[in-house]
Structure formats: C-alpha cells, structure tokens
C-alpha cells in the first residue's frame, strides 16, 4: 500500500512517489484508486503541491530510476500543470504561479539541465513538461531566458556534435510553438528561424526531424521572414534539402510545411515550383502512402489557394477596388496535363479493407481532381479523364472499376451537358449494372454516389430513363448502410430534378416510395453511416415536391408521421446514447412534418389541432433544445398557412415562448422563439395585442442585457417592427423605449460599417443588423396610423441615419 504517513506531511519523497506511480500503472482497481487519492492530497495545499512538483521533476530527471517510471512521472507532471479544458487549465495555471519563485526556478532548472544531457527516449517527455510550463509563464513575461537558452544550446550542441541535446532543444521549441499564442514569441522569431534552419542542415536525422517539426509549428509567427525574398529563399531551400533526406517522417513534415506555405505564403513558391513539381510527382509515383497523400494534398492546397485568389480578383473587379495584391500564377493550369494522369492512377491505389471514411491515397486523389475540375476549363480535363474512365470501366480488377467511376464523378459538376451527354448515357449502363450486381461493396458505393452526382448535374441525358433510375435506386435500399446512404442522396436529387419535368416517376408511386424509405429508416443499422439522416433527407424532398394530384397521399403520410412521433416519444431511454438517438430522430421528424405542412398548404387545416397537440407534448416534456428549436420552426410554418385561424392555438403556446425568451443562453432556441413570435404577429395582426405587454417587456429587457448574443438581438429588433405593424396605434406606449434601442443599434451599425474586417461572421452580423433595423423602422412607420405618426416624427433623424448607412 501507498506510504502516506510521513514525518513531514508536506514532504514528498521519491520512494513514496515511486510507489504511487507503480500503483497508478498497476492495473489493479484498489491500488489505482489509492494512487489517485494520494495524488489529489498532494495538491490540496501549497506546501505539499510545491514538494509534489519538485518530486515529480526530480524523479523524471533521475537516471537511477526506471525509465518507464520516469516517463509516467513526466506524463503526471504535464497533467498537473495543464488541461485541455480552459477552465481547468486556468485553475492549474493559478496554482503553479502561486508557488514560490525559487521553487519554480529550481524545478525548471532541473528539467532544462536533464533535457540537454539525457537520452532521446526520456527527453521528448521532458520537453512536453517544459512546454506546458512555458505555456503558463511566457505569456506573463516570466522565464524570459528560456527561448534564448534553448536557441544557444541547440547552436552549441550542433557545433560540438551533441546531436541528442540539439534534437531535444529543437523538439522543446516545437512543443512550445505548437500551442502558444504567436504574439508571445514574435520578438524571438528570427532566432528561432535561424536555429531551425541550422537544424535542418544538420546531418543527424533526429535533429532534422525536430527542426522540421519546430518550424511547422512556428509558421504563424515567422510571417515577416517570408516578406523578404532572400530570407524566404533560404527557408524554402533548407526545407527542400531536408526533404531529400531518406527518412519518411522527415519528408512528411517537410511536405506538411509546404502545404502550409501554399496557403500562407503562396508568393514565395515561384522560384521553387519546378523543383517542387518534380519532387511531388515522384512522391505520388513511388513513395509510401503517407508521403503520397501529402504530395497530392500539396497540389490540392495550391488549387484551393488559386481558386481563392481568382475569386478575390473577380470580387475586387466587381466592386471596382484593388485586389489583395497576390497574383495567381496558374500553377495548376500549367501542370494539369502532367499531374492528372498520376492522380488518376492514384485513385486505383486502394487497400482491400479501407472504408469510404478513411483518408487514403485514393480519396486524396479524388479530392484533388475535384479541385482541379472547379479551377480549370473542362476542355483541359475531359480529354485526359474520359479515356481513363473508358479504358478501366470494364476492368476485371475491382479497384480499376471503382477508380473509373470515381474519376468520372469528378467531371460531372462543371461539364457542359452538351459536351458530355454521350458519355453520361454510356456510363449510365455501367453505373446501373454495378450498383445492382457488383460483388464489391466499394464499387456499388462509388456507383451510387456517382449516379447521384449525374442526376444532380447531368440529368439532361437521363431524363427519359427517370422511371428506370428510380426503380434501380429503390431496389438498392436493402444494401449495406454506406451504400444506401448514397442511394438516398440519389433519390433526393432525382425527386428534386423531377419537379421540373412534365411527368414525374414519383407521381403515381408516392405512397410506395415513402413506405420503402420509412422501412429503411426502421432498419436496425440505420444509426450507422449517417443512414437515418440520409433517409429523411430523401423523404423531405419526396414529400414537399409531391404532385398536386397526390394531396390525399401526402395527408396519409402526415398521419404516418404522427404515428412515428408517438412511437419515438414513447421509446424507453436507457442511457445517454438512447437519449441522443431520440433527439436526433425527433429533429428529423420535425423537419419532415414541416415539409408535409409546406406541401399541403391550406389542406393541412384538418391536422392543425393534432400538430399543435403533438408540439405541446414535446415542449412540455423538456426535450433537448435542438428539438424545441425545430418545433418552433414547424409551428411558424403552420402559423403562416393558418393565418388568423392560428389565434386559437396562441394561448396554449404562449407560456413556452416566454420560457424560451427567458432561456436566452440557449440562443438558437431563443432566436427560433423570436422568429415564431414574428410569424404569430403576422397571423393574428391586431389580436396579438393581448400578448403584447409581457412580450415587449421581455424583449426590451433582453435588448439591455450585454450577455445576450448579437444574433439574438438582431432578431428582437426585427420583431419590434412585426409587432408595430400588427397592433397599429397600440404600439405607441412602447415607442419611446423601442426607439432608444433602435438608436443604440443604429449607432453600432454606423460604427461597424467603417471598421475594416474580412471576417465572414462579422460581415454577416453587420448585414443582419442592417436588415433588422430596416424592417423595424418600416414596421413602425407603416404600423402606426397616420393620425398618430407625430408620436415618432422626432425620431426621424434615426431613420435618416439608417438610410445613409452603407449598402442599405
């Protein structure tokens, strides 16, 4: 048993610590629990915590102790000072900084001394401990000599041939750079970059690996070195030289660095592109899987970056402004004819047991081809891809058949239907045959996905065979989950495109199709491979696009939906997994019922009371907020259809809406409730005034709450306009308070629009705020009767400010 009673209760001896470590790793429940209790006790007060940390450092650094115990001690020390949880890390950070400075310095000195003198099999763990302590101290301006000492040590160690110490120092720098905020080490970026390049040029593989790892993690604060062509040239040359070293780990890290450079420093690549082309093509041809994938990903990164540059150039041209200054070099265009054949061959490189979720060489190549297809003219791609497809589609080798199908899938979205129609018709025969009969599940899966893409993007060549395609897909619903997932998506696409056709194969088969899809949802394996969501995705479009002649069938489907709701609600919940499954299923049923309501329109009236009863049951059962949000959205659609007839449902629904407003921490549900209130005001018009006082009180209070998300407040602002429009002059008592809220929001809008930002969320919020303010002012101006408009005329300056706001 663990020896816990010592003469000095605050002292933790190494022998005692060793017993605790042995107990923690024993695998015996009692010993592990005793060890956990002792470790907790050592952290209860500052004196014992200080002694505990010193003991951990001493034990980790003691060459006389067992190596496994030392590794475990390092892991324990790391977890004592660090946590993935921000809240927990803050607590541990405070505890560490509360230690006396002398104690901390003693511990840190011991760790650093051992790091630079021990063997690699322990120093990598010591490096992690040092990095976690650095994560606490460096942002506070403490341990200021750590980085200079590590840099000097690496430089001296490389000069003297002490490669273990050099690798250990570089590895520690890498761990520090991996997690620390870039601005903390910005001043040391030159020293770090210099020592990393020195490490890359070292002949020892361990030093090279550690240097490459350090630079990969230091990219964020080394930007200034890429602004100077000489410095960037030295950096890229050093990485290329290191990548030529025959070590897989090193080559992988170097390729990862070049992928980052493609995104972050595209302009720096030009002098090295010829070499990079040769190196990456050779890697794609003849390297191990890890290297091949990264070589392909480098070209994918280049393609995405060039696509982004071209989009920014087009956007700048539309606005009449200057572009970002980065000029697209069209590397993909110049390399396509050489690169694509290697990518096509790579599609066929597949392990017998790999699944569609695995990131393989094949998936990387398909992804890269899709990027190329988005970026380049199809006249460049089709003459290379189509011959490959046709020469491999009949192959006896299933990998080549599958490769041909996936290759064909990459050209479907961007090809002119007239240009590719003959190929589509020809390939349809193979897709149908392979989906129905191929013995390899991977081939059937590829056929189902490619058929779905063909329907979505190239339906012109298939429209005459829509009924046969539907039968083919329905027959495939009994296949494996990963295949049926794609089949359901194909059914979804077919239903969508058939809406526009004079005659739809769904028209006379709606009930049978929906029944078959419901049966698929009931499969025991429907919870795997996203199958359940895919089934309901297909049901949604099948129901909402049902032909006018199928109203009776949709009404019967609606009854089936009610029955399914009842069954799911009453399913016993035995644990967290069951609860998650029920929540997901209810959310899917809510969306399907929304589609049925939308399709039935006024014919939904006979079901309105059943729908409301169902919704109230779910709201009253305190389901997950996701389900509540979906219920509110569903009821909004019903209110829009029933219009004034929704009034009889409002009183029973009102308490749940008020509760949702009070639970503003669940901001998505709260926003859905606000939007539903807007739908109800439009349905009830002047009759909404009986609910107005508590609603307006809650909304005004929420507007003043600084903790409520801005997206919720923009919804509130729009609702003010809906309420004003609905209740006419009865809005006058609230006008003064509302206008003060709108004034503050208008001032915020004007301030934000002059703040330069390219953050998508900020721009979206700015547009939402502008739109909400516009709706609020319009609702107030139109809602208050002409005879009472003098009550807001002194607020006309606010409206004028809004009209002047940018891009209204």
């Amino acid at each position: 048993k663990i020896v816990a009673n010592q003469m000095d209760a605050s002292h933790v001896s190494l022998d005692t610590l060793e017993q605790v470590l042995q107990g923690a790793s024993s695998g015996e429940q009692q010993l592990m629990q005793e060890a956990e209790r002792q470790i907790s006790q050592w952290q209860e007060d500052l004196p014992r915590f200080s002694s505990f940390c010193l003991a951990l450092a001493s034990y980790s650094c003691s060459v006389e102790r067992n190596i496994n115990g030392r590794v475990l001690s390092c892991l324990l020390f790391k977890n004592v000072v660090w946590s993935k949880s921000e809240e927990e890390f803050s607590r541990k950070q405070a505890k560490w900084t509360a230690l006396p400075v002398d104690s901390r310095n003693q511990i840190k000195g011991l760790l650093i001394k051992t790091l630079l003198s021990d063997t690699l099999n322990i120093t990598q763990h010591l490096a992690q401990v040092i990095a976690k302590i650095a994560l606490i101290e460096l942002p506070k301006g403490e341990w200021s000599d750590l980085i200079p000492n590590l840099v000097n040590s690496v430089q001296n160690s490389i000069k003297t041939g002490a490669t273990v110490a050099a690798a250990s120092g570089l590895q520690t720098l890498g761990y520090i750079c991996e997690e620390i905020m870039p601005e903390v080490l910005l001043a040391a970026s030159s020293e770090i970059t210099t020592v990393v390049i020195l490490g890359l040029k070292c002949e020892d593989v361990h030093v090279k690996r550690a240097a490459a790892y350090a630079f990969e993690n230091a990219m964020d604060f080394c930007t200034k070195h890429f602004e100077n062509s000489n410095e960037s040239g030295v950096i890229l040359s050093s990485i290329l030289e290191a990548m030529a070293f025959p070590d897989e780990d090193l080559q992988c890290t170097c390729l990862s660095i070049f992928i980052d450079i493609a995104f972050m420093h595209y302009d720096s690549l030009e002098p090295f592109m010829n070499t990079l082309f040769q190196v990456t093509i050779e890697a794609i041809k003849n390297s191990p899987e890890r290297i091949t994938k990264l070589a392909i990903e480098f070209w994918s990164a280049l393609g995405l970056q060039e696509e982004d540059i071209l989009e920014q150039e087009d956007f700048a041209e539309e606005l009449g402004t200057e572009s970002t200054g980065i000029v697209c070099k069209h590397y993909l265009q110049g390399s396509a004819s050489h690169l694509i054949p290697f990518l096509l061959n790579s599609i066929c490189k597949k392990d017998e047991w790999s699944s569609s979720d695995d990131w393989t060489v094949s998936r990387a190549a398909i992804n890269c081809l899709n990027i190329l297809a988005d970026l380049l003219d199809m006249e460049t791609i089709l003459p290379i891809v189509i011959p490959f497809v046709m020469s491999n589609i009949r192959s006896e080798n299933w990998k080549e058949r599958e490769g041909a199908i996936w290759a064909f899938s990459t050209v479907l979205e961007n090809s002119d239907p007239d240009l590719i129609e003959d190929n589509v018709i020809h390939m349809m025969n193979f897709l149908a045959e392979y989906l129905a009969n191929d013995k390899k599940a991977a081939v059937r899966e590829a056929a189902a996905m490619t058929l779905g893409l063909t329907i979505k993007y190239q339906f012109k060549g298939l429209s005459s065979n829509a009924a046969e395609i539907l039968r083919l897909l329905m027959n495939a619903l009994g296949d494996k989950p990963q295949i049926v997932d794609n089949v359901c998506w194909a059914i979804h696409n077919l239903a969508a495109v058939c809406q526009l056709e004079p005659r739809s194969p769904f028209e006379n088969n709606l009930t049978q199709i929906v029944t078959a899809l419901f049966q698929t949802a009931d499969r025991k394996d429907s919870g795997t491979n996203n199958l359940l969501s895919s089934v309901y995705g297909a049901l949604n479009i099948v129901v909402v696009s049902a032909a006018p002649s199928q109203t009776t069938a949709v009404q019967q489907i609606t009854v089936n939906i009610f029955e399914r709701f009842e069954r799911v609600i009453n399913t016993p919940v035995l644990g967290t997994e069951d609860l998650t499954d029920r929540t997901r299923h209810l959310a899917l049923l809510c969306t399907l019922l929304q589609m049925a309501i939308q399709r039935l329109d006024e014919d939904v009236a006979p079901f309105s009371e059943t729908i409301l009863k169902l919704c109230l049951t779910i709201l009253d059962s305190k389901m997950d907020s996701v389900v509540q949000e979906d219920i509110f959205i569903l009821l909004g659609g019903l209110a829009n259809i029933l219009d004034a007839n929704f009034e009889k449902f409002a009183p029973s629904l009102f308490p749940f809406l008020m509760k949702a407003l009070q639970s503003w921490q669940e901001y998505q549900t709260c926003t859905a409730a606000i939007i539903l209130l807007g739908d109800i005001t439009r349905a009830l018009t002047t009759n909404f005034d009986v609910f107005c006082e508590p609603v307006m009180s809650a909304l005004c209070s929420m507007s003043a709450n600084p903790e409520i998300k801005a997206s919720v407040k923009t919804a509130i602002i729009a609702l003010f306009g809906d309420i004003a429009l609905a209740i006419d002059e009865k809005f006058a008592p609230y006008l003064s308070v509302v206008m003060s809220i709108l004034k503050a929001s208008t001032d915020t809008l004007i301030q934000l629009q002059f703040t330069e930002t390219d953050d998508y969320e900020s721009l979206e919020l700015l547009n939402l705020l502008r739109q909400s303010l516009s709706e609020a002012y319009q609702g107030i101006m139109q809602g208050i009767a002409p005879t009472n408009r003098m009550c807001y005329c002194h607020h006309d300056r606010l409206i004028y400010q809004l009209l002047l706001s940018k891009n209204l």
Side-chain angles (χ1 to χ4, degrees):
K1 288 189 176 182
I2 297 168
V3 179
N5 300 319
Q6 302 172 56
M7 293 182 65
D8 184 354
S10 68
H11 176 69
V12 181
S13 71
L14 297 192
D15 289 338
T16 303
L17 177 60
E18 185 167 73
Q19 291 180 12
V20 170
L21 294 173
Q22 290 171 352
S25 59
S26 66
E28 296 183 22
Q29 190 68 26
Q30 182 180 352
L31 291 177
M32 291 169 64
Q33 289 175 351
E34 289 177 359
E36 187 175 342
R37 279 195 297 270
Q38 182 63 80
I39 291 169
S40 297
Q41 289 175 10
W42 283 336
Q43 298 180 73
E44 285 177 355
D45 57 55
L46 200 59
R48 277 191 288 186
F49 180 64
S50 178
S51 178
F52 178 41
C53 290
L54 180 58
L56 285 170
S58 300
Y59 194 96
S60 300
C61 296
S62 175
V63 294
E64 298 172 354
R65 301 288 172 171
N66 178 274
I67 187 67
N68 293 329
R70 295 176 66 192
V71 170
L72 185 58
S73 177
C74 287
L75 293 174
L76 179 57
F77 199 172
K78 183 181 74 171
N79 292 330
V80 164
V81 297
W82 176 83
S83 172
K84 289 182 179 179
S85 164
E86 288 188 18
E87 183 179 350
E88 182 68 10
F89 178 53
S90 296
R91 189 183 67 80
K92 293 182 176 184
Q93 188 177 24
K95 183 174 284 190
W96 170 260
T97 52
L99 292 177
V101 174
D102 290 344
S103 297
R104 282 191 280 149
N105 288 341
Q106 182 183 0
I107 292 168
K108 292 183 296 186
L110 187 58
L111 292 171
I112 288 290
K113 180 181 177 181
T114 309
L115 172 80
L116 301 175
S117 61
D118 214 322
T119 57
L120 276 175
N121 54 3
I122 188 65
T123 56
Q124 62 177 325
H125 300 285
L126 291 171
Q128 291 178 19
V129 176
I130 292 167
K132 298 308 181 186
I133 297 174
L135 196 60
I136 297 173
E137 297 204 352
L138 291 180
K140 299 176 181 296
E142 299 175 339
W143 210 357
S144 56
D145 61 343
L146 172 62
I147 302 299
N149 285 347
L150 287 173
V151 168
N152 291 334
S153 172
V154 171
Q155 290 173 332
N156 293 332
S157 298
I158 291 176
K159 289 178 183 178
T160 60
T163 54
V164 172
S168 300
L170 286 165
Q171 195 168 40
T172 308
L173 285 170
Y175 286 138
I176 294 170
C177 295
E178 186 175 13
E179 293 187 70
I180 206 158
M181 295 300 291
E183 58 268 21
V184 176
L185 295 181
L186 199 61
S189 66
S190 296
E191 291 78 5
I192 293 172
T193 303
T194 299
V195 80
V196 162
I197 291 172
L198 187 63
L200 288 171
K201 293 180 178 296
C202 181
E203 291 302 315
D204 183 81
V205 66
H206 298 294
V207 176
K208 283 181 177 291
R209 285 180 190 167
Y213 174 75
F215 187 74
E216 184 181 18
N217 291 316
M219 288 277 288
D220 285 340
F221 52 83
C222 291
T223 300
K224 68 177 184 180
H225 303 295
F226 285 90
E227 295 171 357
N228 183 300
S229 59
N230 291 331
E231 291 185 36
S232 66
V234 172
I235 293 170
L236 269 66
S237 297
S238 301
I239 300 167
L240 273 173
E241 289 173 14
M243 195 160 65
F245 197 87
D247 179 76
E248 184 175 340
D249 289 339
L250 177 60
Q251 290 174 354
C252 286
T253 306
C254 290
L255 280 168
S256 295
I257 292 171
F258 276 114
I259 291 170
D260 290 339
I261 291 173
F263 283 119
M264 300 169 64
H265 307 292
Y266 175 86
D267 277 349
S268 301
L269 290 172
E270 187 173 13
F272 304 93
M273 274 309 299
N274 287 335
T275 305
L276 281 168
F277 173 82
Q278 295 168 9
V279 169
T280 52
I281 291 295
E282 188 60 33
I284 294 171
K285 284 166 56 180
N286 298 312
S287 294
E289 182 177 4
R290 290 170 61 207
I291 296 175
T292 302
K293 283 190 292 186
L294 287 166
I296 294 172
E297 288 168 25
F298 169 73
W299 288 99
S300 297
L302 272 182
L304 290 171
Q305 184 64 14
E306 292 193 342
E307 192 173 1
D308 184 58
I309 293 170
L310 292 173
E311 285 177 0
Q312 290 185 35
E313 288 178 358
D314 291 341
F315 185 62
E317 187 176 346
E318 288 176 13
L319 295 179
T321 59
E322 294 184 6
S323 64
T324 59
I326 302 176
V327 178
C328 182
K329 305 296 184 181
H330 301 282
Y331 296 131
L332 274 293
Q333 179 72 50
S335 306
S337 60
H338 302 285
L339 176 64
I340 292 174
F342 293 110
L343 294 175
L344 292 170
N345 289 329
S346 295
I347 293 178
C348 302
K349 294 179 181 178
K350 192 169 183 182
D351 187 88
E352 182 77 24
W353 308 110
S354 62
S355 72
S356 56
D357 294 329
D358 295 333
W359 185 247
T360 60
V361 169
S362 177
R363 298 308 306 172
I366 294 166
N367 180 61
C368 191
L369 279 169
N370 280 317
I371 293 169
L372 282 164
D374 287 338
L375 184 64
L376 307 180
D377 293 332
M378 294 313 295
E379 287 79 1
T380 302
I381 296 175
L382 286 175
I384 308 172
V385 173
I386 296 300
F388 173 86
V389 172
M390 295 308 168
S391 65
N392 287 278
I393 195 65
R394 295 182 179 88
S395 175
E396 294 294 323
N397 185 332
W398 70 269
K399 296 179 183 179
E400 293 176 354
R401 291 197 305 277
E402 185 198 17
I405 295 170
W406 284 122
F408 186 66
S409 74
T410 65
V411 301
L412 291 168
E413 181 176 355
N414 297 290
S415 293
D416 185 334
D418 294 329
L419 189 64
I420 202 174
E421 183 175 352
D422 290 342
N423 300 120
V424 167
I425 295 170
H426 184 64
M427 279 294 293
M428 183 59 211
N429 298 321
F430 294 105
L431 295 177
E433 171 63 23
Y434 293 155
L435 176 58
N437 301 313
D438 202 284
K439 293 180 180 180
K440 276 292 180 182
V443 177
R444 300 198 302 277
E445 183 179 356
M449 173 58 79
T450 303
L451 183 54
L453 288 166
T454 307
I455 292 167
K456 184 174 183 178
Y457 296 116
Q458 300 293 337
F459 189 65
K460 179 182 177 182
L462 305 178
S463 56
S464 60
N465 298 316
E468 290 81 357
I469 294 171
L470 179 58
R471 279 195 293 273
L472 171 72
L473 294 171
M474 299 306 295
N475 290 336
L477 287 175
D479 212 324
K480 294 183 177 183
Q482 68 268 28
I483 298 166
V484 181
D485 178 23
N486 292 341
V487 168
C488 288
W489 184 66
I491 293 171
H492 171 282
N493 292 344
L494 186 61
V497 296
C498 283
Q499 292 182 84
L500 307 175
E501 296 296 310
R503 288 192 60 79
S504 168
F506 292 86
E507 186 168 348
N508 298 322
N509 303 287
L510 183 65
T511 301
Q512 298 93 314
I513 293 167
V514 170
T515 299
L517 288 169
F518 274 143
Q519 289 172 348
T520 306
D522 291 336
R523 285 172 46 158
K524 292 182 179 179
D525 58 0
S526 64
T528 59
N529 291 96
N530 199 43
L531 179 55
L532 191 66
S533 297
S534 297
V535 170
Y536 276 94
L539 280 165
N540 290 339
I541 190 66
V542 167
V543 169
V544 80
S545 63
S549 62
Q550 298 298 305
T551 297
T552 302
V554 175
Q555 288 177 323
Q556 182 55 49
I557 291 166
T558 304
V559 173
N560 293 339
I561 295 171
F562 295 151
E563 294 171 353
R564 287 182 167 270
F565 264 112
E566 194 73 22
R567 193 173 74 195
V568 174
I569 290 171
N570 293 325
T571 299
V573 175
L574 303 177
T576 304
E577 187 175 348
D578 287 344
L579 182 61
T580 301
D581 289 343
R582 186 179 72 172
T583 299
R584 181 169 58 122
H585 207 152
L586 286 173
L588 293 169
L589 281 167
C590 284
T591 305
L592 179 57
L593 186 52
Q594 290 173 43
M595 296 301 103
I597 292 170
Q598 183 179 332
R599 164 59 187 79
L600 289 172
D601 199 41
E602 293 180 356
D603 291 316
V604 79
F607 301 101
S608 58
E609 291 192 10
T610 305
I611 292 171
L612 184 77
K613 183 180 178 182
L614 173 66
C615 292
L616 292 177
T617 299
I618 294 174
L619 291 172
D620 196 40
S621 62
K622 299 179 177 61
M623 292 285 182
D624 188 275
S625 60
V626 173
V627 180
Q628 293 181 42
E629 179 186 351
D630 288 327
I631 289 292
F632 289 149
I633 295 170
L634 185 157
L635 288 168
L638 185 64
N640 289 330
I641 292 171
L642 295 180
D643 209 27
N645 292 325
F646 193 81
E647 182 178 356
K648 60 183 178 181
F649 303 133
S652 56
L653 182 60
F654 188 72
F656 296 103
L657 290 170
M658 293 303 297
K659 185 177 180 181
L661 294 183
Q662 293 162 8
S663 304
W664 48 265
Q665 295 89 344
E666 299 285 351
Y667 70 95
Q668 291 175 314
T669 304
C670 183
T671 302
I674 294 168
I675 294 171
L676 174 55
L677 281 167
D679 295 325
I680 294 173
T681 62
R682 288 187 290 274
L684 273 58
T685 60
T686 55
N687 293 333
F688 183 78
D689 69 308
V690 296
F691 307 107
C692 198
E693 185 174 344
V695 170
M696 287 299 298
S697 175
L699 296 178
C700 292
S701 175
M702 292 169 69
S703 297
N705 187 341
E707 296 183 20
I708 293 180
K709 287 180 72 72
S711 58
V712 176
K713 292 185 177 181
T714 57
I716 291 172
I717 289 169
L719 181 55
F720 286 146
D722 290 331
I723 294 173
L725 191 59
I727 65 174
D728 297 333
E729 67 273 6
K730 294 179 182 178
F731 190 77
Y734 311 106
L735 187 63
S736 178
V737 175
V738 169
M739 291 305 287
S740 66
I741 293 171
L742 298 187
K743 180 184 184 307
S745 299
T746 303
D747 292 342
T748 300
L749 172 66
I750 294 170
Q751 180 181 358
L752 286 176
Q753 70 183 17
F754 292 111
T755 304
E756 292 188 9
T757 178
D758 57 359
D759 178 61
Y760 176 79
E761 289 187 6
S762 299
L763 292 171
E764 184 180 32
L765 179 62
L766 182 66
N767 289 329
L768 281 174
L769 179 58
R770 183 180 293 113
Q771 181 181 345
S772 296
L773 284 167
S774 178
E775 291 174 3
Y777 285 128
Q778 289 178 48
I780 291 170
M781 292 174 67
Q782 294 176 29
I784 296 180
T787 54
N788 291 320
R789 284 183 182 161
M790 286 300 293
C791 67
Y792 69 76
C793 66
H794 61 285
H795 298 294
D796 59 356
R797 182 179 180 85
L798 292 179
I799 300 173
Y800 180 67
Q801 282 183 309
L802 181 68
L803 292 172
L804 289 181
S805 70
K806 186 178 180 182
N807 296 328
L808 180 63

